[in-house]
Structures are given as C-alpha cells and as structure tokens.
Amino acid sequence: MNRYAAAWTTEVSLARAMEQVAIEIQSQLEGRHPDLLLVFCSHHYADAWQNLSAGLVSKTGTKVLLGCSGESIVATGREIENGPALSVWAASWDGVGMIPFQATFERTPDGIVTTGLPQGVNGLLQGNARCAIVLADPYSSLTDLITDHLAEDLPNLPVIGGMASGGGPGENRLFYAHKGIEPQVFEEGAIGVILSGNLTFTPVVSQGCKPVGTTYVVTKADRNFIVELGGEPPLARLEQLYAYLSATDQRLIENGLHLGLAMTEYRDQFRRGDFLIANVIGADRNTGVLAIGGKARVGQTVQFHLRDHVTASEDLVEMLQSARSSHPAPQAALLFTCNGRGTRLFSAPHHDAQKLEEFFGPVPVAGFFAQGELGQVGTKNFLHGFTASIGLFG
C-alpha cells in the first residue's frame, strides 16, 4: 500500500492542471484521501491562484493542505525552471498527528509580534513530534520567530521548508486549508504543520560549501564583527591561508568567502555539516576585522569555507551518502532548494532532484526553488541561502 504520492504537470490551464494531478494522486494512493497535501506552483498561474486551495481540497479530499508559489518548481527527478508548473505531494498515514498553523506578523512599538503559532504542543504531543514544515512569504514574515517558538516548546525538532519566491512584495502566495476552516490563499505571513506519531523523518541540509585551512577559535567578537581569531586579526589569518591554497581556491576566495560557525564544541574533528555557513560581507584592512552575515560568540570554533558548483555538488552527495548509510530508506522526500541553484549554479538542469533520485530511487518528491531555505544544523533550525534542505519521510 502506497503511503505517499507525487504528481506534476506543465499544463497551461490551472483548472486542467489541478484535475490532472488530483487524478494521479488518487491513483497512486489507490483511492484513499490524503491526510496531507503539499502544493507548489509557478507564477504562470497567478490569475487563477485564488481557486487553488479550494480546488485541490475539493478534488482530493485532503485533510490538510499547505503550499506556496515558487520561481521554479521541483518534482520527482526534475526541476522545472521555465514555463508553468504545478507539483503536488501527498501522504496518507495511520497514526500520524498533524497540527497546522497560520502565523501573522505585526510591527508594534515593542517590536515584531507574531500571532497564530501553536501553543503548549509539547504536552499535547508527549514527546512524539517528528518535524515541522513551514512555508512563508519573505517580505512579511520573520521565520526566526517561528523556529525560536518551536524550539522553546519542542527542543531539537527539525524544521524544513522555505520562503515563497518569484515575486516582489505582495506578489507571492501561500495556500492553506484544514478541516474546520475554509480554504485560504494568503499574500503575507507564514503557514506550517507539525507532524507527530508513527513517522520517521530525516533532515538533510546541504549548504554547498567546503572547509579550507584549519579551524580557529574566536577570541574577540562584537555582534557580527570578528575581531580576533586565535589572538590574531582574522584578515591576517585569511592572508596566511590564501598563500597556501591552489590557484582555483584562491579564485573562489576572490569571488566570495564564507565562514563556518561550529554548532557544537564537542567534536574531536570538524567536518561538513558541523558548521552553519555565514557570508563574509566585508573587511577592514586597517584593523583586520571581518564582518559576517551572522553572529559569532567568543570561544566558538570557526573555519573558512568556499563555494562553487563543484563544492556544492560534492557537499550534497556527501550529505545524501551520510543519510543513506545511517537511516532507513525513505519512502518519499521534500526538496527545498535555493533559487540561486539549478542552472544558475550547475552546468546541467535537475541537479539536486536527480542526485536525490540517484541515492533513493524514484520516490515521490516535490518542492520548489526558495528565496531562503529552512533547515537544521546541529540541533537548531536556521534560514539559509544557497542551500538544499531535504526532508526524508518513512
């Protein structure tokens, strides 16, 4: 019995596209209604978006629906970067609980206030939470508030998802429905669902970088400024590293440098996946201080990282190999990849989707190219860039 299904189409008419994917989903699920339906669609359907949530709920009978618009759309084994595309992923479970939510954000004199996040779920779920899926509009939401809230109530819970993409402020859409409310289409905020119970879930986060040189300990820092690494200015450390690198890696530094922030100090050796990658956004040649797109704390281990299409591919392969060797084979997957990847980064299309299929076979897959990807590094969830965030479901 199939627990998961996925279908996609490039049909120009959204009405016909919904009809096609609904028929395919019901066929794969052998006539059962989905418990959860995830939907990702391109901006080519913008004129008919208002009908999407209600249309798919009516056609599939799903209990919960989440979705968003995307610049490019992911399906099983493929990434559709041009033209209309609708990709749908469905799950029909026994013993899996779902807590859907819709969050709004408001600026007040005391700061940003968010409403609609689930409250007190730890006691309700009794330690059986498995993961959360979150989709958000990049211009009207702060996903840090969501992940911090979930971390308080459900420590170590992995979160996957991404920011809707392909449009400016007010041009993206979130699709949402669950029993008890009318199907909705939102221009702002965030939506999500917490999954619990009889489910195995493995997060895979590929940040697309490789470490170079040695690790250092931050000995002086101020907010997002690194003042000293191991007692020396970080720019001096970088110059020492540069002199020993190959010409290829020297060019990568010149095109863009990154700093990996170790998520735990309890490692004899640090490898890929142990670091949160932050961009180096500036340097002061007079003081040797580096500015990064994040915050480092005194005592934290860091290491310089490089990124290009080769390292991005190598990193994804290494992360997928690790997941395959240490976890049960998945029955389905979700893929949220950066809108700076695809053919903007790799020489051939479908790179991330095909790597996923190479490792786990043609399991049902859906997703989209996001304007920021949610994924777990260590035990904490972050909003990433240039990352492939994958959820493997059993």
Side-chain angles (χ1 to χ4, degrees), residues 54-127:
L56 284 176
V57 169
S58 174
K59 293 178 185 300
T60 65
T62 186
K63 295 177 182 176
V64 175
L65 179 146
L66 296 180
C68 69
S69 55
E71 178 177 337
S72 300
I73 305 303
V74 174
T76 304
R78 67 181 52 240
E79 298 165 7
I80 307 163
E81 298 190 50
N82 296 294
L86 177 68
S87 182
V88 174
W89 185 95
S92 178
W93 289 308
D94 292 321
V96 175
M98 299 182 293
I99 300 178
F101 60 88
Q102 184 253 328
T104 59
F105 302 81
E106 182 181 359
R107 188 178 298 276
T108 72
D110 297 322
I112 302 295
V113 174
T114 181
T115 57
L117 294 176
Q119 305 293 326
V121 294
N122 195 23
L124 177 65
L125 299 179
Q126 298 179 341

